[in-house]
Amino acid sequence: MTRQTPEELASAIKEEARRLGFELVGISSVADPLHEASFADWLRQGYAGEMAYLTRTEEARRHPGSWLPWARSVVSVAMNYYTPFPRETAPRGTPRGWISRYAWGDDYHTVLERRLDSLLTWIRGEVGGIVQGRVYVDTGPVLERGFSGRAGIGWIGKNTHLISPKQGSWFFLGELFLSLSLPRDRSIKDRCGSCDLCLKACPTTAFIGPRRLDARRCISYLTIELKGSIPVELRPLMGDHVFGCDVCQDVCPYNAKAKPSKEPAFHARDGLHAPELIPLLSLTDEEFRARFKGSAIRRPKRRGFLRNVAVALGNLGSVESIPALVRALSDPDPLIRGHAAWALGRIGTEDAFAALAEANRHEQDPDAKAEIEQALMGEEAEAIVDSPSDGDPEGRDESRHP
Ligand code: B12
């Protein structure tokens, strides 16, 4: 059936999108997305770190009309992923880490893409003629916050999130580019006001200012996107985070009354809410892939994830984790060996230092060896502090866990 007017069609598309589980829907044009020039400047400043794919696709992200010449409208959608498990409800005792809320359930790319594909099929059926369409959920060169902001789904907040006045920011975004001309929605005004809770709360001081994040310092980047070694000076600031970070959203007043997601795919899988860390450190590659099948956690691969686990264990400082960290000193991957060495140095018991000294005798990889030697320097510092000639019995090495 063909709809009478573009207005009727737009409203029917929104209704169908809501039926498919998207709480927020808005329509905008294919013109360059909001703030594309500041995106370019952000790249120039090097804030993207190793995310070379952003630089490679800069032009496409800034000017979508240049590579989607047939597109006339963009339908932006948002799906709530909030599941209420406050940190305080995690069982105590054995060391546990924190996985970002967005990764507790199934991989969102797949969930949203399938729904948007269904929306496109529905639109084709509804219009009856040829409709070109393309779906993106963080799967193409699209500045999603820029489009969703223009479509009135929310405003770009100081923490760089798209924030909806009613829903807060615990939602994923997706876009459907269409060859149909549809009436556009209005963008909404910024409502952050003078609030700067998010900017102050960031554990690694990753915000250079409002709406400007130095990804190289962001825990999300460090635990998910960064392939190699985590800068030593940032490790102690990462706390128990092993995958992503939610701090700048947790403190946002617009998230205070967040409603739980109705989407079963985003409900927490067993063991992903505040997981026990020690067993994670011994996962083989096969076990890692099986355990996180269909989950966003597979992105950093075993080596990145176990690297993060080692850092969190070092920060938690529990002696219970020493045997697992000592075993990790013989991991086949030097990145994991190096970060386990850092964690043992930070825990800093006699056993930990003895294991480090032993590992130092046979370590061949230059980076892992440098980590071990650096960790052993903590022991020397302790010896100086303990020495009676030092005269400062209260003296402590600030870089070590209490
Ligand atoms: C690269 C990337 C990251 C990087 C960099 C994030 C960043 N803030 O730049 C890292 C790895 C750090 C990251 C982390 C996270 N990400 Co991410 N990420 C992306 C990705 C792939 C590209 C974003 C991008 O281009 N960044 C570059 C910056 C400059 O652009 P931007 O973030 O879009 O910001 C806009 C504004 O800041 C604006 N701007 C700049 N200056 C100014 C000035 C003014 C005055 C104004 C108003 C605006 C403005 O310009 C930009 C363009 O519109 C998008 C998906 C996509 N294709 O868009 C997801 C996406 C942004 N991420 C998302 C999520 C969920 C996260 C995490 C919450 C995951 C987690 N829990 O760990 C964290 C949040 C960290 C944070 N504060 O952003 C969601 C955000 C949903 C939402 N409600 O906003 C997206 C949209 C994915 C999706 N499809 O749902 N992410």
Side-chain angles (χ1 to χ4, degrees), residues 108-163:
Y108 71 93
H109 302 92
T110 323
V111 177
L112 269 79
E113 250 177 11
R114 282 195 190 137
R115 304 290 168 84
L116 279 172
D117 282 341
S118 304
L119 184 61
L120 177 57
T121 307
W122 180 90
I123 293 168
R124 284 182 173 141
E126 192 70 4
V127 171
I130 293 171
V131 180
Q132 273 185 275
R134 196 78 81 75
V135 163
Y136 294 102
V137 181
D138 199 353
T139 44
V142 179
L143 279 173
E144 305 196 29
R145 286 164 167 164
F147 277 109
S148 308
R150 195 165 54 208
I153 285 187
W155 72 93
I156 296 173
K158 289 184 187 172
N159 61 7
T160 77
H161 279 88
L162 198 79
I163 306 176

Side-chain angles (χ1 to χ4, degrees), residues 12-36:
I13 289 174
K14 288 178 189 171
E15 207 181 304
E16 179 62 9
R18 280 190 280 268
R19 198 190 62 75
L20 286 165
F22 297 111
E23 285 88 354
L24 302 167
V25 198
I27 298 176
S28 66
S29 72
V30 190
D32 297 347
L34 290 184
H35 314 296
E36 51 84 17

Side-chain angles (χ1 to χ4, degrees), residues 52 61 77 93 99 151 171 214 231-232 247-248 274 312-313 320 356 368 386:
R61 282 174 200 263
V77 293
I99 289 176
F171 52 75
D214 183 348
V232 179
V247 173
C248 65
L313 284 170
E320 207 187 320
L356 283 166
D386 285 348

Side-chain angles (χ1 to χ4, degrees), residues 8 14-15 39 53 93 119 132 172 179 203 293 318-319 341 355 366:
E8 279 176 336
K14 288 178 189 171
E15 207 181 304
F39 167 68
Y53 70 95
L119 184 61
Q132 273 185 275
F172 298 119
S179 57
K293 191 165 185 246
S318 156
V319 290

Side-chain angles (χ1 to χ4, degrees), residues 45-228:
Q45 304 287 336
Y47 296 138
E50 287 180 5
M51 295 183 287
Y53 70 95
L54 291 174
T55 317
R56 263 199 315 272
T57 55
E58 175 185 341
E59 280 312 294
R61 282 174 200 263
R62 295 179 63 188
H63 312 298
S66 65
W67 55 281
L68 292 169
W70 48 264
R72 295 287 168 272
S73 312
V74 188
V75 179
S76 289
V77 293
M79 194 181 274
N80 176 11
Y81 63 85
Y82 182 74
T83 34
F85 268 119
R87 280 177 180 243
E88 303 74 55
T89 63
R92 294 185 190 279
T94 177
R96 287 173 183 271
W98 188 254
I99 289 176
S100 175
R101 282 174 196 283
Y102 91 96
W104 290 357
D106 294 350
D107 191 332
Y108 71 93
H109 302 92
T110 323
V111 177
L112 269 79
E113 250 177 11
R114 282 195 190 137
R115 304 290 168 84
L116 279 172
D117 282 341
S118 304
L119 184 61
L120 177 57
T121 307
W122 180 90
I123 293 168
R124 284 182 173 141
E126 192 70 4
V127 171
I130 293 171
V131 180
Q132 273 185 275
R134 196 78 81 75
V135 163
Y136 294 102
V137 181
D138 199 353
T139 44
V142 179
L143 279 173
E144 305 196 29
R145 286 164 167 164
F147 277 109
S148 308
R150 195 165 54 208
I153 285 187
W155 72 93
I156 296 173
K158 289 184 187 172
N159 61 7
T160 77
H161 279 88
L162 198 79
I163 306 176
S164 142
K166 287 193 193 132
Q167 302 263 345
S169 64
W170 299 112
F171 52 75
F172 298 119
L173 297 174
E175 293 73 36
L176 170 56
F177 286 78
L178 288 171
S179 57
L180 298 168
S181 284
L182 296 168
R184 281 116 210 213
D185 290 303
R186 286 182 165 186
S187 58
I188 53 175
K189 282 208 179 108
D190 179 300
R191 299 197 196 175
C192 285
S194 58
C195 177
D196 61 359
L197 289 174
C198 55
L199 306 183
K200 288 190 184 135
C202 177
T204 49
T205 57
F207 291 103
I208 302 121
R211 299 171 188 86
R212 200 144 253 233
L213 180 82
D214 183 348
R216 296 168 301 182
R217 294 186 70 86
C218 175
I219 293 174
S220 182
Y221 169 83
L222 295 169
T223 54
I224 304 173
E225 299 294 326
L226 183 71
K227 304 273 180 295

